[in-house]
Amino acid sequence: MDKFLLLLLLLGVFPLVIFRAQATVCMVCNLFKRGYCLTGKGNCTMKQGPGCRTRNFFIFTERDGWLYNHTELDCSHYCTATHMYYLSLKISTYCCKGQDFCNRDQGKIVK
Ligand SMILES: *[C@@H]1O[C@H](CO)[C@@H](O)[C@H](O)[C@H]1NC(C)=O
Ligand SMILES: *[C@@H]1O[C@H](CO)[C@@H](O)[C@H](O)[C@H]1NC(C)=O
């Protein structure tokens, strides 16, 4: 009987532990530049999947081509690494998980 109770307890507790271990705290920022958050700083938590998102914004100019403008950090349930072009705007998206605030590091890449 004791073993049975112990088993029940383990079954109940282990999924919780694993569930918690997978959660990643991501940085949220509306305007991130050179490693600093200028506006809209916060955090969000992703419980599963590569949901910490980094979006680097580039603007096209006739003279200099694609120039880095700023970075936005948040959580996304459907995060996929992409390079999207909207006329003279380019948005490069990166996703990460497993390390708290991992999306902050990709925002440091200036190019
Ligand atoms: C996330 O933000 C809240 C306030 O919005 C703060 O209390 C908490 O400490 C932050 N979590 C981490 C891990 O920084
Ligand atoms: C470029 O960055 C500035 C802040 O330095 C921001 O106000 C502006 O909205 C950004 N432009 C685009 C197209 O995202």
Side-chain angles (χ1 to χ4, degrees):
M1 187 61 186
D2 274 345
K3 275 183 185 160
F4 181 67
L5 275 179
L6 192 69
L7 188 71
L8 271 186
L9 202 69
L10 286 177
L11 283 177
V13 167
F14 265 114
L16 250 179
V17 171
I18 292 164
F19 185 69
R20 285 193 175 191
Q22 280 179 342
T24 306
V25 180
C26 315
M27 187 166 178
V28 174
C29 185
N30 293 332
L31 182 56
F32 188 85
K33 274 192 160 179
R34 296 180 198 93
Y36 294 99
C37 183
L38 303 178
T39 61
K41 189 173 182 177
N43 63 56
C44 54
T45 303
M46 287 302 297
K47 296 202 168 65
Q48 55 187 314
C52 292
R53 183 166 68 173
T54 304
R55 285 184 297 164
N56 291 325
F57 287 70
F58 300 82
I59 291 169
F60 188 82
T61 60
E62 289 288 331
R63 209 171 61 115
D64 301 310
W66 290 106
L67 284 182
Y68 170 78
N69 189 68
H70 75 290
T71 297
E72 291 181 22
L73 308 172
D74 59 8
C75 284
S76 170
H77 287 281
Y78 305 102
C79 191
T80 47
T82 53
H83 297 289
M84 307 272 265
Y85 295 87
Y86 306 96
L87 299 174
S88 62
L89 183 68
K90 179 175 116 175
I91 306 175
S92 296
T93 303
Y94 302 92
C95 314
C96 67
K97 65 168 177 180
Q99 196 194 340
D100 289 351
F101 303 113
C102 58
N103 59 336
R104 184 179 53 192
D105 298 330
Q106 280 147 335
K108 281 176 190 163
I109 300 164
V110 180
K111 194 65 197 174

